[in-house]
């Protein structure tokens, strides 16, 4: 049974570019809702081919975290390896490349878990979450301004991790819980 009332999607009346920078394009979109209300939304328009974030299992119990500087929050944070998909690159390949650049490992097994929106009101783009398993050492040169610190964290202590002041990235927290649940369900099937 459907628990949600399906309403007609708003119609796009007009779209225009409001601003462009080196990294961002801001678009204004005028919508008309089924009840006649009109509203203008400004949103960031994605560039490139998407983005990936990986929950990389160093062994059966430990996940690979990185400690990196977040320019937006001006702090070092604990997060997951992630990055942009290069033009012409598959998302699976991008996931494995980013792992090699950011944590010095590649994965023999990459499993797509979910596409997540980042901020549905303001961003059209999202990120694809992958589980990376059966890792082996493999290093590629990355584009980080300084070396990233690799931290081995027990997935069983996820609650302790997310309560830390330096673990604040919502998409990483969601990805970790998603992967933990996926691994638990998979273990129960065998």
């Amino acid at each position: 049974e459907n628990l949600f009332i399906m309403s007609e999607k708003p119609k796009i009346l007009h779209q225009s570019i409001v601003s462009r920078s080196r990294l961002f394009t801001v678009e204004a979109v005028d919508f008309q809702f089924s009840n006649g209300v009109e509203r203008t939304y400004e949103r960031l328009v994605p560039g490139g081919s998407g983005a990936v974030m990986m929950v990389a299992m160093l062994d059966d119990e430990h996940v690979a975290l990185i400690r990196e500087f977040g320019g937006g929050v001006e702090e070092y944070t604990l997060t997951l390896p992630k990055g942009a998909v290069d033009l012409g690159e598959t998302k699976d390949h991008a996931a494995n490349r980013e792992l090699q650049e950011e944590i010095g490992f590649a994965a023999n097994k990459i499993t797509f878990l979910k596409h997540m929106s980042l901020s549905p009101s303001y961003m059209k783009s999202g990120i694809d979450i992958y589980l990376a398993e059966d890792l082996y050492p493999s290093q590629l040169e990355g584009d980080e301004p300084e070396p990233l610190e690799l931290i081995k964290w027990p997935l069983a202590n996820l609650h302790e991790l997310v309560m830390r002041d330096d673990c604040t990235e919502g998409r990483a927290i969601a990805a970790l819980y998603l992967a933990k649940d996926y691994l638990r369900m998979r273990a129960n099937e065998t």
Side-chain angles (χ1 to χ4, degrees):
E1 183 180 339
N2 191 348
L3 301 176
F4 304 102
I5 298 169
M6 299 306 288
S7 53
E8 186 183 325
K9 279 176 54 174
K11 291 181 186 138
I12 295 175
L13 301 176
H14 183 256
Q15 291 174 259
S16 61
I17 301 300
V18 174
S19 179
R20 273 197 171 95
S21 76
R22 185 174 56 84
L23 294 177
F24 303 108
T25 299
V26 180
E27 177 183 50
V29 186
D30 298 330
F31 289 101
Q32 182 180 50
F33 289 80
S34 58
N35 62 2
V37 172
E38 293 182 12
R39 181 80 34 96
T40 300
Y41 285 74
E42 287 187 0
R43 64 185 183 191
L44 293 177
V45 179
S49 306
V52 292
M53 175 177 271
M54 290 68 62
V55 178
M57 300 302 298
L58 293 166
D59 56 38
D60 289 341
E61 298 174 9
H62 295 88
V63 64
L65 299 175
I66 55 171
R67 183 176 179 270
E68 72 175 340
F69 184 74
V73 294
E74 298 179 35
E75 294 290 344
Y76 283 92
T77 62
L78 292 179
T79 188
L80 294 171
K82 61 191 168 296
V85 179
D86 290 341
L87 192 62
E89 185 179 43
T90 66
K91 291 180 180 179
D92 286 18
H93 184 269
N96 231 343
R97 177 184 49 74
E98 288 290 345
L99 287 173
Q100 293 170 81
E101 290 176 3
E102 296 194 358
I103 66 168
F105 286 91
N108 282 314
K109 184 177 181 185
I110 300 255
T111 307
F112 172 77
L113 294 179
K114 184 171 178 61
H115 177 79
M116 290 186 189
S117 58
L118 303 178
S119 181
S121 295
Y122 300 104
M123 296 178 76
K124 197 172 182 179
S125 59
I127 196 162
D128 290 298
I129 308 300
Y130 288 86
L131 177 66
E133 298 173 283
D134 190 14
L135 303 184
Y136 59 94
S138 179
Q139 183 79 47
L140 289 175
E141 187 70 32
D143 59 358
E144 305 299 327
E146 63 183 358
L148 299 176
E149 185 180 347
L150 172 62
I151 294 160
K152 184 176 180 176
W153 191 275
L155 199 53
N157 293 359
L158 184 52
H159 180 72
E160 181 185 326
L161 172 65
V162 301
M163 295 311 293
R164 290 174 56 114
D165 288 342
D166 60 354
C167 182
T168 60
E169 188 174 1
R171 59 188 177 171
I173 292 168
L176 286 161
Y177 277 106
L178 186 67
K180 184 177 181 183
D181 197 46
Y182 173 86
L183 290 167
R184 181 187 51 77
M185 288 188 325
R186 189 176 71 188
N188 289 340
E189 289 174 2
T190 56

